Amino acid sequence: MKKIIFLLSILVSTIGNSQTDQENIKNFYNNSLSNGKSYAWLDHLSNQIGGRLSGSVNAEKAVAFTKAELDKLGLDKVWLQPVMVPKWVRGEKETAYIELDSNKKINVNICALGGSVATPVGGLKAEIIEVRGMEALKLMHRDEIEGKIVFLNKPMEETFIQTFKAYGSSVGQRVSGAAEAVKLGAVGVIVRSMNLRLDDFPHTGTMRYGDQDIDQRIPAAAISTNDAEVLSEILGKNKDIEFYFKQSCKQYADVQSYNVIGEITGTEFPDRYMVIGGHLDSWDLGDGSQDDGAGCVQSMEVLRLLKESGIKPKHSIRVVLFMNEENGLSGGKEYAKVVKQKEENHIFALESDSGGFTPRGFSFDCNDKIFDQILSWAPLFKPYMVHYFERGGGGADIGPLKNDQIVLAGLRVDSQRYFDYHHAANDTFDAVNKRELELGAASMTALVYLVDKYGFNYTDESSN
Ligand SMILES: [Zn+2]
């Protein structure tokens, strides 16, 4: 009998909890959709500040703006964490053309890849050879490549439903194309933009030379998908054409910047931390609204919604706006370094860095036992159609926090259109839908609320 009463009381308290959870979660969504701040913050970041490349004046303006806005939320602490970041500057707008013969040129849209060296001042003109990605490049011989520009034209795999997987399968040519092609004597590299759509926007992104000497480095640029198709078609008919491009980008010495951090200190476990974040820096061609202004304002909104709800979190909850995800990850590395130095116990980190699109659920990097626990929360997200919970990575900025204790999570959104905008000039404020952005912020808040309230199974064991 005692046992039955005991089980009954658990059942009643579970139902009670679940009702409270439903109500609290609904309130987060109501507040985000009716009185949310995320869209106005994004408007300022995008339209008043603009692209926020690491080391730029705009990046510093974004640091000052977001810190001031966090100050207004009445959090327990707001501070700037210094971090050294690379400073790469694009210079003049790039130009490029296909030269069919001395009388006929076709202009094409390119942009320098982040971290690339410039072409010679007058530009670079050479024969061009099409290669379908890195695997194909590795099979080529020096006499095929020497003295030529290599055109790496492996499209993102359009049959992959997970667009990030499609990105992952092709992005190697952007990151390491120049470093590999130069080994075969290439003089420059043109890479097909990482874009599933055919359009005229070239998409930048980081590239690496590894330990190559500066005077051995060759310039690398991205070409729009439409122009990649044109170039490929022309090369299919005539291999003797030449390609010209000119870019004046430059790498400077590292400069100091900051991660922006705000905290609500926990009532029960102040020395156990939960982090919510996105990256404040962006590429320079657009406003960086989708990548990752959206994730930053959503993360700020999580703390605002929690604060306004009157719920006092048990754990210390931090928003971290990471600097320099795009071309170095210095902010994420620095934050993790300080966590280690101070021996701060982080139990959870959640990143939003997939664009401000309709939220679908979350990915989790954790053990089986914890994932089972997390899955038990999925029904609470069903009314919002945000119950797609899967195993997977959290995000680049929170990656350096990984250890056996922490659970890393990422907001998963409908990413079918993400690569239309990613790192391109059309990544602007108008590409973000207000409602979708706000639904994402509320979904993140709901998850943070549940993790804070229930902790993780292993956390309870270690505290007993
Ligand atoms: Zn990003």
Side-chain angles (χ1 to χ4, degrees):
M1 186 64 184
K2 259 184 186 168
K3 202 173 176 188
I4 291 171
I5 292 170
F6 175 68
L7 287 174
L8 210 63
S9 72
I10 286 186
L11 190 68
V12 168
S13 81
T14 310
I15 291 169
N17 259 336
S18 148
Q19 256 168 15
T20 314
D21 292 343
Q22 282 172 24
E23 284 163 17
N24 284 332
I25 289 170
K26 181 69 178 112
N27 285 336
F28 296 142
Y29 280 91
N30 290 352
N31 190 339
S32 184
L33 290 165
S34 304
N35 300 303
K37 290 276 281 179
S38 56
Y39 195 64
W41 281 329
L42 187 64
D43 187 1
H44 189 98
L45 268 184
S46 302
N47 292 324
Q48 302 303 315
I49 297 176
R52 303 168 295 281
L53 191 55
S54 288
S56 67
V57 172
N58 279 1
E60 295 323 293
K61 283 184 186 168
V63 166
F65 167 68
T66 50
K67 166 147 190 324
E69 291 303 310
L70 289 177
D71 278 334
K72 289 181 201 164
L73 297 184
L75 308 178
D76 297 305
K77 287 180 215 166
V78 178
W79 72 100
L80 300 181
Q81 180 175 65
V83 54
M84 294 302 289
V85 299
K87 181 180 169 75
W88 176 85
V89 174
R90 182 171 302 280
E92 285 169 32
K93 184 164 168 48
E94 304 84 346
T95 53
Y97 56 80
I98 303 164
E99 189 170 281
L100 297 174
D101 57 50
S102 53
N103 296 320
K104 186 131 197 248
K105 292 170 188 170
I106 300 170
N107 289 327
V108 291
N109 295 297
I110 66 152
C111 66
L113 293 182
S116 174
V117 295
T119 56
V121 179
L124 172 69
K125 190 158 83 170
E127 279 184 54
I128 185 161
I129 179 168
E130 179 174 356
V131 181
R132 288 259 161 174
M134 295 303 282
E135 297 78 14
L137 182 65
K138 278 176 189 145
L139 298 173
M140 311 247 344
H141 299 285
R142 194 172 182 90
D143 57 352
E144 296 170 283
I145 301 285
E146 191 153 33
K148 293 181 187 166
I149 294 167
V150 170
F151 168 37
L152 288 159
N153 190 30
K154 183 184 179 190
M156 282 173 72
E157 179 52 57
E158 59 197 8
T159 61
F160 289 170
I161 304 306
Q162 307 267 7
T163 58
F164 280 89
K165 204 173 144 200
Y167 180 65
S169 71
S170 295
V171 73
Q173 62 189 349
R174 189 195 77 206
V175 177
S176 337
E180 289 302 316
V182 76
K183 292 177 189 166
L184 298 172
V187 294
V189 164
I190 297 292
V191 185
R192 183 189 182 97
S193 286
M194 295 296 116
N195 181 2
L196 282 156
R197 186 171 73 168
L198 289 175
D199 64 26
D200 294 325
F201 295 102
H203 294 227
T204 191
T206 201
M207 56 87 65
R208 294 188 206 109
Y209 290 110
D211 51 11
Q212 251 161 29
D213 287 344
I214 287 185
D215 55 359
Q216 285 180 339
R217 297 177 181 183
I218 58 171
I223 186 168
S224 77
T225 46
N226 270 342
D227 289 329
E229 293 288 300
V230 168
L231 180 55
S232 179
E233 198 186 323
I234 291 171
L235 280 168
K237 293 178 192 146
N238 179 5
K239 303 235 178 309
D240 294 330
I241 58 157
E242 289 194 305
F243 191 88
Y244 168 90
F245 73 115
K246 183 177 174 224
Q247 57 192 34
S248 57
C249 41
K250 195 174 169 188
Q251 189 82 46
Y252 291 86
D254 290 359
V255 297
Q256 184 170 295
S257 187
Y258 303 92
N259 291 329
V260 182
I261 308 176
E263 179 183 303
I264 300 174
T265 305
T267 51
E268 224 172 293
F269 311 113
D271 55 351
R272 289 186 197 169
Y273 297 90
M274 294 168 53
V275 164
I276 305 105
H279 63 87
L280 197 50
D281 68 306
S282 75
W283 284 106
D284 55 328
L285 297 172
D287 296 331
S289 292
Q290 297 281 17
D291 186 14
D292 182 29
C296 288
V297 299
Q298 286 175 324
S299 301
M300 292 163 70
E301 181 75 349
V302 171
L303 269 73
R304 193 193 71 83
L305 291 172
L306 283 173
K307 190 87 187 142
E308 282 219 343
S309 72
I311 295 164
K312 303 253 179 275
K314 295 194 235 179
H315 302 79
S316 289
I317 298 184
R318 282 184 187 162
V319 54
V320 183
L321 309 179
F322 296 94
M323 187 50 72
N324 186 227
E325 187 271 346
E326 295 293 1
N327 54 339
L329 206 66
S330 316
K333 288 177 188 163
E334 183 65 22
Y335 183 78
K337 195 176 106 187
V338 174
V339 163
K340 214 168 177 186
Q341 278 167 356
K342 294 191 171 172
E343 295 179 358
E344 288 174 346
N345 179 11
H346 279 54
I347 66 155
F348 181 66
L350 168 64
E351 179 152 7
S352 168
D353 184 18
S354 307
F357 299 99
T358 305
R360 288 281 182 82
F362 300 93
S363 55
F364 297 93
D365 183 353
C366 62
N367 67 34
D368 292 343
K369 192 177 168 197
I370 292 172
F371 190 60
D372 283 345
Q373 182 193 359
I374 288 168
L375 279 180
S376 74
W377 299 333
L380 289 164
F381 291 82
K382 226 170 172 181
Y384 312 97
M385 290 176 282
V386 189
H387 53 294
Y388 180 69
F389 286 18
E390 59 174 359
R391 305 297 286 267
D397 296 288
I398 59 174
L401 288 169
K402 188 173 167 71
N403 61 33
D404 294 342
Q405 293 299 305
I406 193 168
V407 173
L408 302 178
L411 178 70
R412 295 272 74 91
V413 301
D414 175 355
S415 65
Q416 298 309 319
R417 286 170 289 134
Y418 185 54
F419 291 94
D420 295 0
Y421 308 109
H422 186 247
H423 301 176
N426 59 339
D427 181 2
T428 49
F429 184 64
D430 56 299
V432 177
N433 175 283
K434 179 173 184 284
R435 246 182 115 70
E436 293 178 358
L437 182 78
E438 291 167 346
L439 287 169
S443 305
M444 292 164 71
T445 312
L447 180 64
V448 168
Y449 158 79
L450 291 168
V451 174
D452 176 64
K453 182 170 174 182
Y454 297 106
F456 292 119
N457 287 335
Y458 73 85
T459 313
D460 291 336
E461 278 165 20
S462 65
S463 66
N464 286 341

